[in-house]
Amino acid sequence: MTPQGRALRIAMVAAEAFPFAKAGGLGDVVGALPKALERQGARVMVLIPDYGFIDRRDHHIQPYAPAPVIRAPLGGHTVQTEIHAAWLPHSRVQVFLLRGGGYFDRDGIYDDPATRKGYPDEMQRFIFFMRGALQLLSELRAPLDVLHCHDAQTGLVPALLRRQYWEDPTLSGVRTLFTIHNAAYQGIYPRDALRWAGIDDGFFYPGSPFEYWGKVNFMKVGIEYADMISTVSPTYAAEIQSDPEYGAGLEGVLRRRAGDLFGIVNGADYEVWNPETDPLIPANYSQDDLSGKAICRRELLQRLGLPAAEGPVIGVVSRLVAQKGLDLIEQAVSQIAELGVLVLLGEGDLNYQQFFKQIALKYPQRVATRIGFDNSLAHSIEAGCDMFLMPSKYEPCGLNQLYSLRYGTIPIVRATGGLADTVADYDPVSNTGTGFRFYAYNPGEMMYAIRRAVELYRDRPRWQAMMRRAMSQNWSWDASARAYMQLYARICESR
Ligand code: ADP
Ligand code: GLC
């Protein structure tokens, strides 16, 4: 609620929203948080690019009749932009999809599947999206309180709002929140970005919000211009201000805005990730009846061509990038294969893809690798494994550990960022904890945590008690949505 006692009106701008487009956790967040905000009484809409791979029929996407075409400013001209609309499933959250200029009718979100690299015109793509989104919001004339921008692909929005829409009847008073999902992807481009964005080149000088080591850094602009900033866990909020390993060069900028920077942990969408109802897994199960999980385990091994396993089945579902601590798994993989079975699903860096494919050939009975993006297999791995491994170098929040908890698949995590905030270490004395944590980033520490887990796994009653403890955790979006509501209210009050 606003101070005037009416519903808060929020628009989210992002590059991903599940189920329309998802490359990682950002998609999950933008697909779920708006629904949770709606349950808190907010009115929310979402704006995303209209990628070529999005199936119109599956998602009931229609041309947006009141404004099927707009003209988005870009560089010195305007681009004819088609507007489509749909609803987030089971909600009244309207989703607007923008396409034009040939920027989005392609098969990839960020990377070209053919080259595994970013599209050469990624700067123009997302500037077009940002300018189109603002233009659409202006033309919709729907009153708005807060514009919530996510990650570097929307980093210029707070600045464009202030520089270009300060007299706009709909947008002039709108406040902004910029959420950092991953400080390592900053969107750094040549100075020419300002011309495309329609920002006067005079704003580019050393130390200005628009200048970063001689270039334009979209994330820096977002941090400097947004009314407030958030990131996806309290621990990561502290890490990115204090340590270049985490802040990736933005520590100073973030420290300067420390008073306006908040950490709100992500939630899990239990409408999508719930072993009691999940339609994508072979058998449903609950804390009271775990028998379905044994079926999921058996079928997972079968599906991956692995023999029935004695030891624990350990799962990994991940973008294959350095962030995820895959080099620790690389260094320890033979030890892991001695203790249990490793199941890995992911896509990303070619070196990792190659390594994990080879290792599956080397240990055909103990390691299975699937390269690609496969949502249904991701669900089956969450359900069918005994343990879930996330040895991340850094992890702003992480969602898979939350899903793992709910599926009774005990997480083994490096205690960083959101992993530190959501997984409690097992304590044999008090018999408490929901997972296994390690601290120092090296394979020895990781293996020590895995060994502790395997030891407990052999003690069936204690292991099952731990599974039930994990499954009874509540990491639904509701608490986080309440925290966002308070933050939005605070932003509006600071007007
Ligand atoms: P990040 O956003 O850094 O990738 P998160 O843990 O926040 O990490 O979220 C990752 C999300 O993407 C999860 O929902 C996970 O299941 C999903 N995911 C990652 N890789 C794949 C893949 N190869 N196939 C299917 N789902 C994947
Ligand atoms: C990023 C982070 C991940 C987080 C996700 C959603 O991709 O890497 O830790 O969970 O965003 O906020």
Side-chain angles (χ1 to χ4, degrees):
M1 288 285 169
T2 60
Q4 296 80 37
R6 57 160 179 75
L8 266 174
R9 294 163 304 204
I10 313 293
M12 304 233 173
V13 196
E16 305 175 30
F18 183 82
F20 304 95
K22 161 172 164 177
L26 173 65
D28 287 357
V29 171
V30 182
L33 173 59
K35 295 189 289 177
L37 291 170
E38 197 172 55
R39 289 196 291 274
Q40 299 295 324
R43 297 186 57 186
V44 193
M45 60 173 131
V46 175
L47 289 79
I48 59 171
D50 189 1
Y51 302 102
F53 59 81
I54 299 178
D55 191 303
R56 297 210 180 289
R57 231 184 288 151
D58 279 4
H59 300 299
H60 310 287
I61 298 172
Q62 304 279 349
Y64 182 62
V69 177
I70 64 168
R71 296 207 72 91
L74 183 69
H77 54 288
T78 61
V79 177
Q80 173 159 320
T81 306
E82 281 175 50
I83 310 297
H84 284 74
W87 302 93
L88 274 189
H90 317 295
S91 81
R92 296 181 50 222
V93 175
Q94 196 159 26
V95 180
F96 293 96
L97 302 104
L98 287 76
R99 80 157 58 177
Y103 287 119
F104 290 112
D105 20 22
R106 308 177 189 183
D107 288 336
I109 296 181
Y110 310 108
D111 293 349
D112 184 344
T115 61
R116 303 234 121 267
K117 294 208 173 78
Y119 289 103
D121 59 352
E122 66 179 8
M123 175 185 94
Q124 289 86 342
R125 294 176 85 211
F126 287 103
I127 293 177
F128 161 68
F129 171 59
M130 291 188 263
R131 301 196 72 182
L134 282 167
Q135 189 56 33
L136 176 62
L137 288 170
S138 163
E139 295 188 21
L140 286 178
R141 290 173 185 268
L144 203 60
D145 296 300
V146 179
L147 190 46
H148 186 164
C149 312
H150 297 267
D151 263 354
Q153 298 79 26
T154 64
L156 299 183
V157 167
L160 294 171
L161 182 71
R162 267 213 248 155
R163 300 247 151 261
Q164 293 166 354
Y165 290 89
W166 55 282
E167 285 186 319
D168 185 90
T170 312
L171 296 180
S172 61
V174 171
R175 313 288 285 165
T176 51
L177 174 64
F178 181 63
T179 296
I180 300 170
H181 294 264
N182 194 331
Y185 300 102
Q186 298 175 0
I188 301 175
Y189 301 106
R191 179 175 185 164
D192 193 38
L194 295 186
R195 185 177 60 79
W196 289 90
I199 291 170
D200 191 313
D201 190 63
F203 286 109
F204 190 87
Y205 53 85
S208 98
F210 295 103
E211 191 273 351
Y212 181 83
W213 302 106
K215 300 203 161 169
V216 179
N217 179 324
F218 286 8
M219 187 164 272
K220 176 180 166 178
V221 177
I223 295 166
E224 298 260 21
Y225 265 91
D227 291 304
M228 289 197 189
I229 306 136
S230 73
T231 186
V232 287
S233 69
T235 295
Y236 191 63
E239 287 170 340
I240 52 178
Q241 295 178 65
S242 55
D243 189 337
E245 282 268 325
Y246 297 92
L250 292 176
E251 313 80 71
V253 184
L254 287 161
R255 264 200 307 273
R256 254 188 282 131
R257 296 222 54 193
D260 300 321
L261 170 60
F262 301 85
I264 302 176
V265 83
N266 289 333
D269 185 344
Y270 292 137
E271 281 174 20
V272 178
W273 295 94
N274 180 353
E276 293 180 39
T277 53
D278 192 336
L280 298 173
I281 61 178
N284 292 114
Y285 59 94
S286 67
Q287 281 178 66
D288 303 326
D289 180 4
L290 289 170
S291 56
K293 187 160 175 72
I295 300 173
C296 292
R297 186 181 190 273
R298 202 174 55 228
E299 300 228 343
L300 175 68
L301 293 173
Q302 221 164 43
R303 177 171 175 182
L304 297 174
L306 291 163
E310 279 290 309
V313 182
I314 306 173
V316 176
V317 178
S318 180
R319 292 184 293 115
L320 301 182
V321 294
Q323 169 193 349
K324 300 296 179 180
L326 299 160
D327 52 328
L328 299 188
I329 304 181
E330 273 189 13
Q331 290 170 68
V333 75
S334 57
Q335 295 172 60
I336 296 175
E338 266 169 39
L339 292 170
V341 166
L342 180 67
V343 168
L344 178 136
L345 165 66
E347 66 177 353
D349 294 356
L350 292 178
N351 290 340
Y352 288 127
Q353 295 192 175
Q354 200 55 33
F355 175 83
F356 285 106
K357 273 196 275 191
Q358 266 163 11
I359 212 73
L361 294 176
K362 184 167 170 198
Y363 299 102
Q365 312 276 307
R366 305 296 277 175
V367 179
T369 298
R370 290 292 179 275
I371 300 298
F373 196 92
D374 185 340
N375 187 48
S376 137
L377 183 56
H379 281 251
S380 292
I381 290 176
E382 285 291 2
C385 290
D386 302 298
M387 303 169 186
F388 198 92
L389 182 57
M390 295 179 78
S392 304
K393 192 174 268 177
Y394 71 89
E395 196 61 75
C397 182
L399 291 166
N400 277 310
Q401 81 278 17
L402 303 182
Y403 306 151
S404 300
L405 290 169
R406 182 46 60 113
Y407 283 73
T409 304
I410 300 303
I412 302 169
V413 304
R414 177 157 176 268
T416 178
L419 299 173
D421 292 338
T422 57
V423 177
D425 197 31
Y426 175 65
D427 177 0
V429 180
S430 56
N431 202 21
T432 55
T434 54
F436 293 86
R437 297 161 55 126
F438 65 100
Y439 293 84
Y441 188 77
N442 66 60
E445 289 283 308
M446 180 187 74
M447 281 314 300
Y448 184 64
I450 294 178
R451 282 183 209 286
R452 284 197 298 135
V454 173
E455 194 181 318
L456 190 72
Y457 179 77
R458 296 189 180 124
D459 182 342
R460 292 315 287 174
R462 281 196 164 216
W463 183 261
Q464 291 207 342
M466 184 156 187
M467 286 170 68
R468 294 204 167 88
R469 264 198 311 279
M471 294 174 81
S472 66
Q473 295 272 304
N474 183 356
W475 291 101
S476 76
W477 268 104
D478 293 332
S480 309
R482 276 196 292 276
Y484 276 107
M485 289 296 276
Q486 281 168 6
L487 187 53
Y488 295 142
R490 197 161 160 174
I491 296 173
C492 293
E493 280 161 25
S494 71
R495 196 184 295 268

